[in-house]
Amino acid sequence: MQAPKRQPRRLDVNVSADAGRTPSSPLHPLSSLPVCAEPGSWRRRVCCCMELVAGCYEQVLFGFAVRLEPKASGDHEQKWIPVADFTHHAHTASLSAVAVSSRFVVTGSKDETIHIYDMKKKIDHGALVHHNGTITCLKFHGNRHLISGAEDGLICVWDAKKWECLKSIKAHKGHVTFLSIHPSGKLALSVGTDKTLRTWNLVEGRSAFIKNIKQNAHIVEWSPRGEKYVVVILNKIDVYQLDTASVSGTITNEKRVSSVRFLSESVLAVAGDEEVVRFFDCDSLMCLSEFKAHENRVKDMFSFETPEHHLIVTASSDGFIKMWKLKEDKGVSPSLLCEVNTNARLTCLGVWLDRVTDTKESLLPAVEPPPVSKQEQSKRNKKESGHEVQEEERQLKPDTKNCSLTGDSNKPTKGSSLVSTKKRKTVEMLEKRKRKKKKI
């Protein structure tokens, strides 16, 4: 079903450190937003290329922009500063899932709706109301497609441009508890309360394989290259190999697992109903390291890479969102970059990355090109000049394929800029000669 047509609503922007209650969220006070930047920064919209977004039981979506402070004298590393950007209360029940693309953030809720937020314009873009049950999982594949799963047993494929439902599949007899898309975008895995693991052919929109499992799984996740996947049942993580479709080993966590993230093809980050995050090797099934991330259970994690860092973000029931920098050796605990307190019971987490940003406002410093020798520079200059000559010759030739809007491609258009400098000078010289002859 297409999103209802209505005027887009701008997200509520925090403009002061003591924001109090948001106008649309009378249930939950936001009286102690973190003062982690200079006071003036609250009074302007933050421009950066990274935003931490998190949903909570209190029905609010939080947005915190992250920016880098320049290195001060004596500092070994730059400071990462999270700044409150917006809070939005669009749902009428607790948030259960969040997904991000290059432009949009979508949230799912127990109110059975999916809300769309345009992060470029900071507006509420509308809602999708196809499901009849709690939205349990949301996944973007690229920027064109969104896949949703819910307690009604349906998996829906959405066009993320027109926001239309392209395909609605009755996936499980019970609830759809989780889904994951293969890196190729051709396959998807889903688990549900009918004790099955199902493989879906997304090209044809049909079931490809069904595997019965002994208990209800609540998480399934592909590895980055798609050579393996994990299925989580309570505190046990079964590692499957794609080529054999069989379990190659089982990882046992101390408590029920709430979130898993692949840090590489073989290293898995595991968070559960405890304060600790552990890194496991999927081949040896051994715990590489563990660290205390929060004061309460970790609800969700998100990992991503930048040109300079490998980062992981954690959200907890204690209300904190924390960003960590991973070490190359996963046996060493990560270092904390920044944290922010939402004073809410967080349920889901995402990180929106603005890939197309102005270099002056970019979060990450631009990489300088390697030095070029004089010989290479002269070669490049010759190639570029030769390329410009070819372009001029192309412009002088009539293009029979490209026609104008009127259909008459032979008539010249006024103000055309497709004439080379050389040709223009020649025309001027001819006109001057004609004028001289007329005077004589």
Side-chain angles (χ1 to χ4, degrees), residues 8-231:
R9 192 151 59 97
R10 191 160 292 280
L11 303 185
D12 305 322
V13 181
N14 290 323
V15 292
S16 63
D18 53 348
R21 301 171 187 267
T22 58
S24 57
S25 179
L27 297 177
H28 182 64
L30 298 173
S31 55
S32 55
L33 285 170
V35 185
C36 50
E38 67 273 13
S41 66
W42 297 100
R43 290 172 169 79
R44 67 177 184 271
R45 180 64 59 82
V46 180
C47 295
C48 82
C49 62
M50 183 186 297
E51 189 125 359
L52 309 178
V53 289
C56 62
Y57 282 110
E58 289 81 6
Q59 309 168 10
V60 175
L61 176 69
F62 296 93
F64 292 90
V66 180
R67 59 183 175 84
L68 274 176
E69 286 286 299
K71 274 187 184 180
S73 58
D75 290 346
H76 296 289
E77 291 186 356
Q78 289 178 304
K79 291 181 180 179
W80 299 61
I81 308 295
V83 181
D85 191 21
F86 70 86
T87 57
H88 194 50
H89 189 178
H91 291 284
T92 58
S94 60
L95 277 70
S96 52
V98 63
V100 293
S101 69
S102 65
R103 176 154 191 170
F104 295 102
V105 167
V106 294
T107 56
S109 168
K110 288 188 176 181
D111 65 7
E112 305 180 357
T113 65
I114 301 168
H115 270 268
I116 311 158
Y117 310 95
D118 189 327
M119 294 298 289
K120 301 278 189 181
K121 298 179 180 178
K122 289 291 191 300
I123 57 171
D124 185 343
H125 198 65
L128 307 174
V129 290
H130 187 82
H131 288 285
N132 292 313
T134 298
I135 310 300
T136 55
C137 42
L138 294 166
K139 299 286 181 181
F140 272 105
H141 180 68
N143 297 316
R144 192 60 200 258
H145 295 100
L146 171 71
I147 301 182
S148 61
E151 288 186 352
D152 55 6
L154 294 179
I155 287 178
C156 296
V157 182
W158 302 88
D159 183 336
K161 298 292 182 184
K162 299 177 181 178
W163 295 110
E164 295 175 345
C165 184
L166 302 175
K167 191 82 175 177
S168 182
I169 306 166
K170 182 60 179 174
H172 290 268
K173 293 178 181 177
H175 304 166
V176 177
T177 53
F178 212 87
L179 63 88
S180 181
I181 305 170
H182 190 270
S184 67
K186 296 179 180 180
L187 293 175
L189 292 171
S190 68
V191 289
T193 55
D194 56 359
K195 298 181 181 179
T196 61
L197 166 66
R198 296 177 185 249
T199 307
W200 300 96
N201 183 331
L202 293 180
V203 178
E204 299 178 6
R206 61 176 180 81
S207 175
F209 185 72
I210 301 173
K211 182 179 178 61
N212 293 315
I213 48 183
K214 294 178 181 179
Q215 292 175 282
N216 290 330
H218 61 282
I219 298 175
V220 61
E221 196 72 50
W222 285 103
S223 65
R225 291 203 300 265
E227 295 174 1
K228 61 170 69 76
Y229 55 92
V230 294
V231 176

